[in-house]
Amino acid sequence: MRPEIAVLDIQGQYRVYTEFYRADAAEKTIILVNGSMATTASFAQTVKNLHPQFNVVCYDQPYAGKSKAHNLHEKLLTKEVEGQILLELIDHFAAEHVLSFSWGGAATLVALAHQPRRIEKAVISSFSPEINAHMLDYLERGVDYLGSRDGDRVGNLVNSTIGKHLPTLFKRFNYRHVSSLADHEYGQMHFHISDLLHSDRQCFFKAAQQINVPVLFMNGEWDEYTAAEGARLFADHVQQATFTTLEATGHFLDMEHKAACRDSRNALLGFLKPAQHESRPRYHYVQDHHALAI
């Protein structure tokens, strides 16, 4: 399963690396939105869960992964800019669905608030508008380590908090990735966290109120950081919101173990393709040794 690779020009300002997994029998296209510090590789399992039922698009933010060599990194990207990039990609690939992970939910909310005409359904996974005590501790330590560009402490922080339920091999490769990022990547993450700590979280609810398509919020039962009860705060703001909590799994959902992978796939297909979805579909669980991040 080899993707079609392209580096796309976004409004003459950014160059974005994309992977398009085409499926001849697929009727719909879904675009996947990374968490912060993550790359297209972090969606290896998710792609296998969705393809060939869908055409699947992955991409790297301009500051990350295989996009960063094509950009100058002269300014930091806000979640609003990331939302605009997502809207451009939705149009380019004629995507009907979008699925975000962790911090990618912020850009996805921004994009969905613009009511893109092509989008029919969206999934926002491992995201919460609430900063609870666990998340506050993680963010405050993170902004300190990122500010000093201490990659070692950032890598250990990720693995001991949101990544604590990952298999050991995943943690090893996650640490290798997160601890060796470029200065501008640490700066970008520092900017995102600082904004999250000091901004009014009502911005997420204001965006949510503009969304006009069904949205599935998917969280892990053991995720103390983007907790399921926090995600349910969207119930009063998204008109067509549904919620699912995956049992015995943390922040990284389909990456943590086989049962979580199965349950994640079932939840996704049950929401996106309810008529065709079987209760116990076949799937492949692959331990991909690449960066996960958040």
Side-chain angles (χ1 to χ4, degrees), residues 169-186:
L169 193 59
F170 272 1
K171 288 184 178 181
R172 188 177 305 139
F173 281 89
N174 203 32
Y175 171 82
R176 182 180 299 175
H177 169 70
V178 173
S179 65
S180 59
L181 295 174
D183 275 359
H184 76 266
E185 291 176 274
Y186 291 130

Side-chain angles (χ1 to χ4, degrees), residues 146-222:
L146 288 162
S148 61
R149 305 297 192 266
D150 191 336
D152 177 69
R153 296 178 82 179
V154 175
N156 284 320
L157 176 65
V158 171
N159 279 344
S160 65
T161 53
I162 60 171
K164 64 184 177 181
H165 298 295
L166 286 167
T168 300
L169 193 59
F170 272 1
K171 288 184 178 181
R172 188 177 305 139
F173 281 89
N174 203 32
Y175 171 82
R176 182 180 299 175
H177 169 70
V178 173
S179 65
S180 59
L181 295 174
D183 275 359
H184 76 266
E185 291 176 274
Y186 291 130
Q188 180 66 54
M189 185 58 187
H190 184 275
F191 172 74
H192 279 326
I193 291 180
S194 298
D195 179 62
L196 190 58
L197 283 170
H198 299 111
S199 66
D200 181 4
R201 258 79 71 192
Q202 289 299 314
C203 66
F204 294 130
F205 296 131
K206 290 175 182 176
Q209 289 169 356
Q210 302 303 313
I211 297 174
N212 63 347
V213 296
V215 181
L216 171 65
F217 293 92
M218 187 165 64
N219 300 79
E221 178 188 15
W222 293 345

Side-chain angles (χ1 to χ4, degrees), residues 108-155:
T108 300
L109 285 170
V110 170
L112 292 175
H114 287 272
Q115 301 182 356
R117 61 183 179 83
R118 297 182 184 277
I119 293 297
E120 299 172 3
K121 292 182 178 181
V123 179
I124 295 179
S125 68
S126 296
F127 184 84
S128 168
E130 178 186 53
I131 297 183
N132 60 22
H134 294 284
M135 179 58 88
L136 182 61
D137 174 69
Y138 171 71
L139 293 176
E140 288 180 339
R141 286 194 284 161
V143 80
D144 180 26
Y145 303 159
L146 288 162
S148 61
R149 305 297 192 266
D150 191 336
D152 177 69
R153 296 178 82 179
V154 175

